[in-house]
Amino acid sequence: MSKDLLEKGAILQRDQETYAIAPHIPGGIVSAQQLRKIADVAEKYNAATLKVTSSQRVAIVGLKEEDLDNAWEELGIKPGAAIGLCVRSIKICPGTTFCKRGQQDAVGLGLKLDELYHGMPLPSKFKMAVSGCANSCSEPAIKDIGVMGTPKGYTVMVGGNAAIKPRLADVIADELTEDEVLKLVDKIISFCKTNGSKHRLGRAIDEMGIDSFKKEIGL
């Protein structure tokens, strides 16, 4: 039976014959040249459609298995970590870079987190988000790590997900600087690597209690 091809970053589609691939677009910020390249590859290999994903990527849907290697080579863009046990995506809003409502630099911080962690293997899938204000356009409250900008700095929350048993993240720190956020995220990632749980972070927190979790990461 056909299945996802993790080594090719390819997700089997409903027809059980074709695949979708999602080039990595950090933060969803893409140039016109990159978009043209994605469109050209989709046309050349007769893709069924292009789909803008919830992880701020453009997925090329409906490729044949024999065309996957050539498609990736011609794209010249590394795969987005759309499948597998790893840090899947770091979703970011426009923040103070573009948005009139931005209170903190979601783009700058989000791209730093993307460079550090995107695709990093972990015991379970893992998602992050950074928003520049409380409107939370990148949905930090339903991510394993969510960072939200406020007039006084960044708020960090953990344990959110939108899976079959939705869970809102717990706020564990606020009024942080960018450097403090980066250090805290690193401690949370280290915890996930070593705590032995194969479940999403929110379930691990529920099992041990939020106070015990905070103690584990030095809060």
Side-chain angles (χ1 to χ4, degrees):
M1 182 178 177
S2 299
K3 59 182 180 179
D4 296 341
L5 302 175
L6 184 61
E7 72 280 4
K8 296 180 185 292
I11 304 169
L12 183 67
Q13 298 301 283
R14 190 177 182 87
D15 59 13
Q16 298 292 306
E17 294 180 355
T18 63
Y19 295 83
I21 61 174
H24 185 45
I25 301 175
I29 299 171
V30 62
S31 68
Q33 182 181 10
Q34 287 174 314
L35 282 176
R36 289 190 188 98
K37 188 175 291 187
I38 291 169
D40 288 345
V41 167
E43 284 188 342
K44 180 175 181 179
Y45 294 105
N46 299 309
T49 193
L50 294 170
K51 173 68 172 72
V52 178
T53 75
S54 61
S55 296
Q56 300 179 322
R57 305 183 181 109
V58 180
I60 304 174
V61 181
L63 297 178
K64 297 177 181 177
E65 182 176 354
E66 59 266 28
D67 292 329
L68 293 173
D69 289 339
N70 287 336
W72 278 122
E73 183 176 356
E74 292 175 31
L75 283 168
I77 307 172
K78 67 180 181 178
I83 52 178
L85 303 180
C86 63
V87 178
R88 297 284 190 88
S89 61
I90 292 85
K91 188 173 183 178
I92 66 178
C93 79
T96 53
T97 306
F98 303 109
C99 181
K100 64 183 179 182
R101 295 181 175 85
Q103 294 171 331
Q104 297 295 335
D105 182 11
V107 172
L109 176 55
L111 293 179
K112 287 179 182 178
L113 291 170
D114 184 277
E115 184 177 354
L116 288 167
Y117 299 111
H118 173 255
M120 176 181 286
L122 288 177
S124 67
K125 72 176 181 180
F126 198 95
K127 297 182 179 182
M128 298 191 215
V130 185
S131 70
C133 78
N135 283 341
S136 295
C137 293
S138 60
E139 304 167 335
I142 53 170
K143 299 295 188 287
D144 296 278
I145 296 177
V147 183
M148 182 182 73
T150 74
K152 296 183 178 181
Y154 292 99
T155 296
V156 175
M157 53 194 85
V158 294
N161 69 67
I164 193 169
K165 292 183 178 180
R167 185 186 192 281
L168 289 176
D170 297 295
V171 174
I172 58 170
D174 59 11
E175 299 185 15
L176 302 184
T177 65
E178 181 177 291
D179 285 343
E180 288 172 332
V181 171
L182 291 170
K183 290 176 182 177
L184 181 55
V185 169
D186 187 63
K187 291 178 181 178
I188 297 167
I189 294 291
S190 295
F191 168 84
C192 292
K193 285 181 177 180
T194 59
N195 80 322
S197 176
K198 295 182 179 181
H199 301 300
R200 292 287 292 272
L201 180 57
R203 182 166 171 179
I205 290 172
D206 286 341
E207 290 174 350
M208 69 188 303
I210 187 64
D211 292 334
S212 294
F213 171 77
K214 290 170 69 173
K215 185 176 180 180
E216 286 285 337
I217 60 172
L219 292 179

